[in-house]
Amino acid sequence: MTYFSKVFAGGKLGCRKTFISLVWYAAALPALAQQPLKTLLVGVDHRSVMSLNGDWHYLVDQPPARALYTPAGKVRDNSYALNTHPNINSGPHNDEYDFATAPTLKVPGDWNTQDPTLFRYEGVIWYQRDFDFQPRPNTRTFLHIGAANYKSFVWVNQKRICDHEGGFTPFDCEVTAALKPGTNFVVIAVDSTREVDGIPSVGIDWFNYGGLTRDISLVTLPTQFIDDYDVHLKHEGTFSPSNTNLTGYVHVVGATAGTPVTLRIPEAGVNTTLKTDAEGRAPFDIKASKLDLWSPETPKLYKVELASGEDKLTDDIGFRDIRVDGTRILLNGKAIFLQGANMHAEAPYRTGRAYSDEDVKNIFGFLKDLNANFVRLAHYPHDERMERTADREGIMIWSEIPLWQHISFEKPEVYAKATYMLNEMIRRDRNKASVILWSVSNETPNNPTRTEFLTNLANEARKLDPTRPITSALIGPHAKGNEMVQDDPLANALDVVGQNEYVGWYEGRPEDADNIKWTLPQKPILISEFGAEAKQGVHGGKDERWAEEQQVNVYEHQFVMISKIPQVRGLVPWVLMDFRSPTRNIPKLQDGFNRKGLISEDGKKKLAFTQFQKVYKDHSVGKAE
Ligand code: GCU
């Protein structure tokens, strides 16, 4: 059965479990209903916008008088959000702050690596900047925030605009009514505090960089505008190389039924006019005259021109077919083997949250040098530049929302949050050919509550996007002597199973791997994490911990073990580059970094990098079928 027939056959739950799921899921609805997906503009990076990047003044939250939260936990609107200025020489002493003369932080960018006094600060920072604006009639203006970790509260000209929770996905807030001609100001309070019911929760193995960590801009649109679209190669029952059918939809805000929408893909011979339905949505199912399919070897992108009324935008979209067939992953009908690495959004050389063209260029330089065709963007959506670059350079992506290890799976409001983040991730990147897998979680505890939660979420992802396989990284196979058995029921809800394992580092000695026999689901398996720590520049014997030679030895034995698992379809070592993690504190060896990288945080390659470079060049470990 192909991947689709499995999914449309109602997955693996069966009727009893489906009933329980529906009851459970219904419990989450009220919380979901509280969070309709606010406007989320697709393709902002392909629109002309007014950038608000640059220097923003900042103040560290000062409990209790003016703190963001009242003692009752409510958000104060009459605090620093008012952006008043003290009268130094006279008048009442009640505005003892002044953004205009306060120090500044660069936006985008985490605050931790910009100001040493803020390195370990986890809490609320208030950002403020002025900007000039001239409102135009018959337009709507949105504040676009690429990401802000973790909670954000936005005011413009003293008016409360929007709140957002989630540190790695974009959001758009309408500011039209708050703007005035001339000088305006925006105040954003960002709270980086980790919360038990957050996503992720509190015990993460990466640095909790806080702040306005990605691009910010003002997007001014006609009152009738395109906010969402999906343009993809139609997934028929089986793949046919002659398939040139394109399908999807364009959604137009402010459009009544019958509003025309033009869709042009000149290079593919597409030039058609669609009509919106009563909800402003214009579905389409058209035939291109010819299509060169996207792949790592030929990462072909097409100019896709969308227009409705006064609004138009042109995106760069690749068309390809990705599906599972038995234990194989098929790209454009051909079985593939994924040779990649995990990567945190850590900026090479400078550390801190990665966000810039420079950061992304450095990361892709490493991936290309590694002979990689794949990257797992752990453990959260990275900057959109990563997908754009992967589209251009032909690197396939595993994209993931940060349901990392221990999450409050028993709480419907957490399910609502997870669904919201899933929507934001898929909405932003569904038109990116490089994204071949959506992942719903990493290493979550195997218990019925979590399995129901993530099974529902996986099925939610399929409803949102039936064109991509769904995955998750599992941990906890149980050992029976030399056998490792992975029988986590969550695998039933997945199309591709990620298996994290650390034989030779956390589990046993490296040579134990030679004799381990795995029992894994009969689905495509990615070894989604494996590896060992090594301090770059430390050399010694193959059994000397922290030596680069030791890291190589762990992988040598791992390759022997993995080569015996017939359904493995990808290698994803943990991790491409050393990254900051406050839980890694062995002096002179870790010093606040997780050292499982193939490269150090300052770009120095370890012996294991060369080892993978050769394995990937020779395709000597693993088979596509
Ligand atoms: C886990 C986890 C990673 C973590 C890694 C490690 O598998 O998924 O986020 O950094 O192990 O322990 O280094």
Side-chain angles (χ1 to χ4, degrees), residues 32 34-40 163-165 169-172 401 414-426 457 460 464:
L32 259 179
Q34 289 155 14
Q35 296 197 36
L37 189 63
K38 302 181 182 95
T39 303
L40 181 54
D163 307 347
H164 182 267
E165 177 171 351
T169 37
F171 57 105
D172 298 284
I401 49 175
V414 174
Y415 183 79
K417 263 185 237 181
T419 305
Y420 196 85
M421 275 181 199
L422 184 76
N423 265 279
E424 291 174 323
M425 171 175 73
I426 293 177
L457 201 61
E460 185 68 27
L464 287 166

Side-chain angles (χ1 to χ4, degrees), residues 205-206 344 376 379 404-405 442-443 475 500 502 506 529 533 574 579 584 594 596:
D205 182 22
W206 66 83
H344 264 295
R376 176 184 176 207
H379 284 296
W404 190 89
Q405 296 192 2
N442 177 72
E443 293 191 354
I475 192 73
N500 294 357
Y502 284 93
Y506 291 128
E529 289 187 29
E533 302 217 22
W574 185 265
F579 59 94
R584 308 293 176 164
N594 181 314
K596 297 186 182 72

Side-chain angles (χ1 to χ4, degrees), residues 281-351:
R281 181 186 166 101
F284 63 87
D285 200 327
I286 53 175
K287 201 164 186 54
S289 57
K290 71 178 185 63
L291 276 183
D292 296 329
L293 297 187
W294 186 94
S295 72
E297 297 72 27
T298 57
K300 170 69 182 167
L301 300 178
Y302 285 85
K303 291 291 177 198
V304 176
E305 300 167 11
L306 304 172
S308 183
E310 302 290 306
D311 193 24
K312 62 182 186 320
L313 82 103
T314 299
D315 201 339
D316 296 305
I317 299 180
F319 301 107
R320 52 104 188 91
D321 183 288
I322 186 80
R323 64 182 69 207
V324 163
D325 180 34
T327 67
R328 303 183 303 161
I329 301 174
L330 304 182
L331 175 67
N332 303 330
K334 189 166 158 287
I336 56 171
F337 189 82
L338 304 174
Q339 299 187 142
N342 281 281
M343 180 79 201
H344 264 295
E346 184 90 58
Y349 305 105
R350 64 176 181 82
T351 73

Side-chain angles (χ1 to χ4, degrees), residues 505 531-541 544-552 555 575 577-579 584-609:
W505 181 257
E533 302 217 22
K535 169 91 165 126
Q536 191 277 329
V538 171
H539 293 285
E544 185 177 331
R545 282 230 154 169
W546 303 96
E548 292 186 32
E549 291 77 5
Q550 167 266 158
Q551 188 183 31
V552 167
Y555 280 126
V575 65
M577 188 183 82
D578 292 352
F579 59 94
R584 308 293 176 164
N585 288 311
I586 304 177
K588 296 189 180 52
L589 288 171
Q590 293 176 317
D591 297 319
F593 283 85
N594 181 314
R595 295 278 181 211
K596 297 186 182 72
L598 305 179
I599 307 172
S600 66
E601 72 279 10
D602 48 3
K604 295 192 180 77
K605 296 183 174 90
K606 303 176 190 176
L607 294 175
F609 183 92

